[in-house]
Amino acid sequence: MKEIEVIHIKEDVELNNPVLIVGLPGVGHVGKLVAEHLVEELEAEKLLEIYSHHFPPQVLVDENSEIQLVNNEMFVCHTEKHDIIALIGDHQSSSTEGHYKLCTLYLDLAMEFGVKRIYTLGGFPTGQLTHTDEVLGAVNNIELIDELKEYGVNFKENEPGGGIVGASGLLLGLCKFKKIDAACLMGLTSGYLVDPKSAQSLLKVICKVFDIDIDVGPLEERAKEMEKIVARLKEVEQQQKGMPEMSTAKDEDLRYIG
């Protein structure tokens, strides 16, 4: 197997003003949930599969006990305004070198398809279990900010403070060398759990950007199930806050003994 193997499923595709959306696994799986939902709801066609030894050494097992080598895939979703090329997958690279090589490949493929704009999707960790219906943005061209604000994207000074790690950030940087406008859109999420509620917030913005109407029912059902888990976690958190600090209790005991 080559270092990176690209298997084309559909050749000679005619595309209408294509835009690339990148939704790979990340914080809260927010971007992954949105991109996969678009692929399903818009009845996308698979363009290609990407295999690489930069992905974890792993296979996935389906309900029939059949294995599938982990990979990334590109699909095309046809809409009136744009054809959306969606990059989804099982994993991001497990190494720094792999991130650069794979992101360079994603960008080369995007250029072959004639992509002029790229949106990377992800989650912005807040550390709070309470949901905030907000999407933050970062761009590689400041002229994109006013446009994205009209779609409900918020921009905050020096946020994200620690930068954007992985494909969602790296692609924005590499796009500058190719003179391709790119933006990272991030739904606010706790960072602890898969977050379909944050994915709903991000999906609303995507629907405005592409002027499409998408059924959010499946995401709503997953969000309801996740809310039950979050409620239980909050309950446990409150119980722990009501308990005495173990270190304090020990200190007091030691002082008494001494």
Side-chain angles (χ1 to χ4, degrees):
M1 178 180 172
K2 297 178 183 177
E3 182 179 9
I4 300 176
E5 191 88 46
V6 179
I7 299 177
H8 291 269
I9 307 298
K10 192 174 179 64
E11 302 280 0
D12 301 323
V13 183
E14 292 186 10
L15 299 173
N16 172 38
N17 198 15
V19 172
L20 175 65
I21 280 184
V22 179
L24 297 174
V27 179
H29 275 14
V30 178
K32 176 180 170 69
L33 287 173
V34 172
E36 289 182 345
H37 192 65
L38 287 171
V39 166
E40 183 174 347
E41 292 297 319
L42 295 175
E43 300 179 349
E45 301 175 90
K46 186 187 289 189
L47 295 175
L48 54 86
E49 298 174 348
I50 300 167
Y51 298 88
S52 174
H53 65 225
H54 293 294
F55 295 140
Q58 180 183 355
V59 295
L60 303 179
V61 184
D62 66 16
E63 64 275 9
N64 298 316
S65 300
E66 184 176 4
I67 64 94
Q68 168 68 46
L69 190 64
V70 296
N71 67 2
N72 285 176
E73 301 170 324
M74 278 188 175
F75 289 79
V76 59
C77 312
H78 299 289
T79 74
E80 290 186 10
K81 188 175 181 180
H82 294 277
D83 280 344
I84 302 170
I85 297 175
L87 171 63
I88 62 175
D90 303 313
H91 290 280
Q92 293 200 41
S93 170
S94 54
S95 69
T96 299
E97 178 187 11
H99 272 299
Y100 275 90
K101 288 188 174 182
L102 284 166
C103 284
T104 297
L105 170 69
Y106 303 148
L107 189 51
D108 287 344
L109 290 169
M111 294 181 68
E112 287 179 19
F113 288 127
V115 167
K116 303 297 184 184
R117 174 79 63 90
I118 294 177
Y119 294 101
T120 65
L121 311 180
F124 179 82
T126 64
Q128 304 295 321
L129 291 173
T130 303
H131 173 69
T132 302
D133 186 14
E134 184 177 356
V135 172
L136 291 182
V139 298
N140 71 350
N141 180 353
I142 200 167
E143 293 180 2
L144 296 176
I145 290 179
D146 287 341
E147 175 188 338
L148 292 173
K149 280 183 176 179
E150 293 181 4
Y151 299 129
V153 180
N154 293 326
F155 293 86
K156 298 182 179 179
E157 188 175 350
N158 297 322
E159 290 286 3
I164 305 171
V165 179
S168 290
L170 186 55
L171 276 169
L172 264 65
L174 294 177
C175 278
K176 295 198 76 169
F177 292 106
K178 304 294 184 180
K179 293 182 171 49
I180 295 178
D181 288 344
C184 180
L185 307 180
M186 298 161 280
L188 267 59
T189 180
S190 67
Y192 303 134
L193 303 163
V194 175
D195 196 342
K197 203 167 186 66
S198 178
Q200 282 182 271
S201 299
L202 183 51
L203 182 60
K204 290 177 187 175
V205 171
I206 293 298
C207 286
K208 292 177 183 176
V209 170
F210 292 101
D211 193 21
I212 55 177
D213 186 19
I214 297 290
D215 178 20
V216 298
L219 283 178
E220 287 180 346
E221 289 302 315
R222 294 186 67 173
K224 288 177 183 177
E225 291 300 316
M226 196 56 63
E227 282 174 355
K228 295 177 184 177
I229 298 174
V230 171
R232 178 55 184 154
L233 289 173
K234 287 181 179 178
E235 184 180 325
V236 171
E237 187 179 58
Q238 289 301 318
Q239 290 173 351
Q240 290 176 340
K241 285 182 178 179
M243 295 173 64
E245 293 283 345
M246 293 298 292
S247 60
T248 302
K250 288 182 179 179
D251 288 345
E252 289 176 350
D253 288 344
L254 285 172
R255 284 196 296 271
Y256 177 76
I257 292 170

